[in-house]
Amino acid sequence: MTTLPVTTARLESATRAQVRAHKRRRARVFALLMALCAAAFLLSLTFGSVSIPVRDVLAALTGQATERASWTVIVVDYRLPKALTALLAGAALGVSGLMMQTLFRNPLADGYVMGVSSGASLGVALVVLGGGVGSTTLLSGLSLAGDVGVVTAAATGAALVMALIFVLSRRLRHVTALLIVGLMLGYAVSAIVSLLAHFTIPERLQAYTNWTFGSFGDTTNGQLVLFALVVAAGMGLALVSAKPLNGLLMGEDTARGLGIRVRRTRVLVMLGAALLAGAVTAFCGPVGFLGIAVPHICRTLLKTSDHLILFPASALLGGILAVSADIIAQAPGLDIVLPLNAVLALFGAPVVLWIVLRRGSLMRGSML
Amino acid sequence: MNRLDAVDLTIGHKAGRRLASALNLHVGEGELVCLLGPNGSGKSTLLRTLLGLVAPLSGHVLVGGEAASALDVRALAKRIAAVLTDREIPYAMTARELVALGRIPHTNWMNQFGDEDESAIAWAMQSAGVTAFSDRWVTDLSDGERQKVLLARALAQQPLLLILDEPTAYLDLPRRVEMMGLFARLAHEHGQSLVVSTHDLDLAMRHADRLWLMDGNGSFYQGTTDDLLEQGALRRAFGPAFDDYVRVPRLS
């Protein structure tokens, strides 16, 4: 090893002061994110078709008596699973989006780029538009997302596409080729869905369309446990690939030069992102926007590309935005429920635009 | 002990032609070697073979006396650092953060930095002259500044050997002169060994301890500038007009 010459003490202390300033800023941002996350979570238990005072929400959560008995049922049986689902789904989408953006070195990538959501959509389209499962909920006019048949179809579709991508990834050297494969799969699937839609009855089409809106409110407690386990597995893969992903920011050859096993990292990252995005699609429908936007906002807020910082930040922010969007979608005080994806894009896109324009640094100097 | 040895090395692409055969190369401590040759002569392939990114057709590479093929990627990354031509510049990354990537082979899975890592980063930034813009986005830097940041990243790796593929491409003349002077200082003042491929013949001849030359027809020459001129190697690689071109600045 080359021995280091003694650097001037002044220079080193100046750099260390900078490092400390960065760390303080990061600590502040994380504290803010955690506070917002807790606040959004609590608010989502409070608001809905009936507003329940925060005091009673807390009482219901801690098993104490609420002013009205029905409030306990609403909070514990309906709103809590929904809020947890939103939190998990938002975190999963933020993290999988970051994984894919770095792996493909493409700022427009998200957890769905490999066609996972296309596969899930195809599965759901086949059972819903083609007829078969889902007839009970079809008649009741409810959203389909919680239907066991629909969840199974979505998960199967997502898993099959994942398997296909893995087989192809062994043949393809470059990640860009993989990106194109994912996009083409998406086109092929939407073509099949259009065909199915053309020949189906309006009620089924309506049901399928409702599924594509996305929803956090249809997971049963049993499904929630399964969802949480899959998300945890995906997060674990994100964590172990965080450092290799830092190296991959400079391209695959440089990553190898930094001692990173590029192929292994690619497999871990793809598997993790596919699990996260696949689980969300299966249980909540194809929830858009978060996967692309959340990592960008986090990079800007934290002024870093370090995945060990961005992963927890993206999980937190994804959760915050998903829970907030769900609160808006429930339209407190009104007797309607707005489509989740519409809310996310309608309220989310201006926020991202505002950040880009105000800070002028979101995509600063990127190759776009 | 040499920082790098290549023994009986034949390079090229598996199916295609051999770019150079039976090379015996070495780089000593604190030595600056410049690799010259026309486009397509195989400079990048040679560098990538030395780095272990491309397998040699035959022969082997020793890094710090150990066979590169026997080292795992991480151990190799502690011995050789490279700045290649196909690098990508990430956005939302400060110069300091980019330089800190050089510590990846040295840190644990959480990438936690100890004092040694911080000193290595500070030293690398100071040596490459990039301390002043440590907080700026790398995408906002000029070509010359960015090149120095990439160099600092490789220095932060604290390698036995630094391999740089055309680090002066896209830079204007003052920046080229500055970069090559920096390489010479790293070699001669800090004992860093470097192999640098370049098209800047005059700068290479002025600063390099030795030259490696690939003529594009499968021949490989090595030695000091005078050795190569005596062998007529430069003329063979770059054409007959070349001797006149070289002799003029050398007379001044």
Side-chain angles (χ1 to χ4, degrees):
Chain A
M1 292 295 116
T2 321
T3 47
L4 293 177
V6 183
T7 45
T8 58
R10 195 170 57 88
L11 178 91
E12 206 157 318
S13 72
T15 342
R16 296 208 169 167
Q18 279 174 357
V19 173
R20 275 197 301 274
H22 276 298
K23 282 189 177 158
R24 274 198 300 275
R25 181 186 157 79
R26 261 166 218 167
R28 278 202 303 275
V29 172
F30 268 102
L32 179 72
L33 285 177
M34 280 190 259
L36 282 175
C37 194
F41 192 79
L42 206 58
L43 282 180
S44 80
L45 299 180
T46 308
F47 289 124
S49 48
V50 243
S51 287
I52 301 171
V54 177
R55 185 164 26 88
D56 289 281
V57 167
L58 292 173
L61 288 179
T62 50
Q64 289 157 342
T66 46
E67 204 179 306
R68 289 182 215 165
S70 65
W71 284 359
T72 308
V73 177
I74 292 174
V75 169
V76 175
D77 290 351
Y78 292 95
R79 289 191 188 168
L80 188 60
K82 186 162 65 94
L84 286 173
T85 304
L87 206 59
L88 282 172
L93 290 175
V95 168
S96 66
L98 177 57
M99 289 168 106
M100 291 292 98
Q101 283 173 15
T102 302
L103 186 70
F104 291 115
R105 288 185 293 290
N106 186 326
L108 296 178
D110 64 10
Y112 298 137
V113 283
M114 290 178 308
V116 172
S117 120
S118 310
S121 304
L122 182 60
V124 173
L126 283 175
V127 294
V128 176
L129 299 180
V133 198
S135 4
T136 46
T137 35
L138 259 182
L139 293 175
S140 64
L142 291 172
S143 164
L144 278 172
D147 187 282
V148 177
V150 169
V151 170
T152 312
T156 310
L160 285 177
V161 169
M162 261 169 66
L164 180 64
I165 294 276
F166 274 109
V167 172
L168 289 173
S169 76
R170 296 178 150 267
R171 296 175 54 100
L172 300 170
R173 263 190 57 100
H174 292 283
V175 285
T176 314
L178 217 52
L179 191 63
I180 294 169
V181 169
L183 283 173
M184 288 309 120
L185 273 175
Y187 282 123
V189 165
S190 38
I192 297 175
V193 172
S194 307
L195 281 176
L196 286 171
H198 188 68
F199 292 109
T200 195
I201 54 169
E203 288 79 6
R204 290 187 176 279
L205 186 57
Q206 182 62 47
Y208 176 75
T209 310
N210 282 344
W211 179 78
T212 64
F213 287 161
S215 166
F216 295 134
D218 304 295
T219 39
T220 64
N221 281 335
Q223 287 172 347
L224 185 55
V225 172
L226 183 60
F227 184 37
L229 286 176
V230 179
V231 169
M235 294 286 184
L237 287 171
L239 199 59
V240 295
S241 53
K243 182 180 157 179
L245 280 171
N246 283 348
L248 272 174
L249 285 168
M250 303 267 302
E252 296 192 352
D253 281 341
T254 303
R256 277 189 195 94
L258 287 167
I260 286 159
R261 287 171 228 278
V262 170
R263 293 232 161 182
R264 195 178 72 170
T265 303
R266 199 195 285 178
V267 170
L268 288 181
V269 169
M270 281 172 42
L271 187 64
L275 279 177
L276 293 171
V280 173
T281 321
F283 291 111
C284 312
V287 180
F289 182 77
L290 290 173
I292 291 181
V294 166
H296 288 303
I297 301 176
C298 288
R299 272 187 283 257
T300 307
L301 280 177
L302 290 152
K303 274 194 102 173
T304 185
S305 287
D306 184 350
H307 291 80
L308 284 149
I309 295 164
L310 288 180
F311 273 140
S314 297
L316 277 171
L317 185 68
I320 293 167
L321 293 182
V323 172
S324 311
D326 189 53
I327 296 173
I328 298 173
Q330 299 306 313
L334 299 174
D335 208 15
I336 52 166
V337 178
L338 302 170
L340 180 66
N341 273 325
V343 172
L344 275 167
L346 211 58
F347 289 85
V351 171
V352 172
L353 276 178
W354 176 71
I355 291 173
V356 174
L357 296 174
R358 185 174 156 269
R359 301 187 69 101
S361 59
L362 185 62
M363 306 289 256
R364 182 96 163 254
S366 73
M367 296 308 169
L368 289 179
Chain B
M1 181 190 294
N2 283 332
R3 295 295 176 87
L4 179 92
D5 295 277
V7 185
D8 223 8
L9 191 72
T10 299
I11 61 162
H13 306 289
K14 274 204 181 95
R17 68 195 169 105
R18 293 176 171 193
L19 290 163
S21 301
L23 300 180
N24 285 291
L25 309 170
H26 64 91
V27 182
E29 182 178 337
E31 205 176 11
L32 171 59
V33 174
C34 284
L35 172 59
L36 306 172
N39 284 335
S41 56
K43 297 191 298 294
S44 288
T45 307
L46 174 58
L47 295 184
R48 293 168 66 84
T49 309
L50 296 178
L51 280 167
L53 291 173
V54 176
L57 295 180
S58 67
H60 43 268
V61 177
L62 304 177
V63 190
E66 284 188 65
S69 53
L71 295 167
D72 68 27
V73 275
R74 187 167 169 158
L76 196 59
K78 289 183 185 173
R79 290 161 188 250
I80 304 189
V83 180
L84 302 173
T85 48
D86 56 351
R87 65 202 160 244
E88 293 170 41
I89 304 299
Y91 65 101
M93 189 182 264
T94 60
R96 188 185 188 282
E97 203 179 334
L98 197 153
V99 175
L101 290 179
R103 297 310 294 170
I104 283 181
H106 299 273
T107 56
N108 65 4
W109 72 277
M110 291 273 286
N111 207 27
Q112 281 165 320
F113 287 171
D115 280 348
E116 200 180 316
D117 300 298
E118 300 287 359
S119 317
I121 294 166
W123 174 76
M125 296 190 76
Q126 187 195 23
S127 304
V130 298
T131 310
F133 33 88
S134 90
D135 258 349
R136 285 170 56 194
W137 297 113
V138 277
T139 42
D140 286 358
L141 302 174
S142 71
D143 286 341
E145 291 168 334
R146 193 180 304 153
Q147 198 60 45
K148 285 195 272 184
V149 170
L150 292 169
L151 173 69
R153 192 274 299 159
L155 282 173
Q157 236 168 302
Q158 290 181 279
L160 295 175
L161 175 72
L162 210 54
I163 289 184
L164 309 172
D165 197 0
E166 299 200 18
T168 54
Y170 311 113
L171 301 186
D172 61 13
L173 189 59
R175 241 53 61 185
R176 286 166 190 235
V177 173
E178 186 190 345
M179 283 299 272
M180 203 57 94
L182 178 56
F183 301 151
R185 271 205 312 284
L186 284 169
H188 304 142
E189 291 170 23
H190 298 295
Q192 178 69 58
S193 308
L194 298 102
V195 176
V196 178
S197 80
T198 180
H199 287 292
D200 292 315
L201 303 180
D202 36 1
L203 287 172
M205 288 186 224
R206 188 182 300 257
H207 290 292
D209 298 305
R210 280 183 305 123
L211 300 174
W212 293 350
L213 174 67
M214 304 179 83
D215 73 352
N217 300 311
S219 301
F220 189 95
Y221 306 89
Q222 52 179 317
T224 59
T225 305
D226 288 333
D227 293 342
L228 295 198
L229 281 171
E230 258 170 49
Q231 295 170 37
L234 292 161
R235 187 202 326 204
R236 251 169 274 168
F238 296 104
F242 188 75
D243 278 353
D244 299 334
Y245 166 74
V246 172
R247 291 237 157 83
V248 176
R250 283 174 61 80
L251 289 172
S252 59

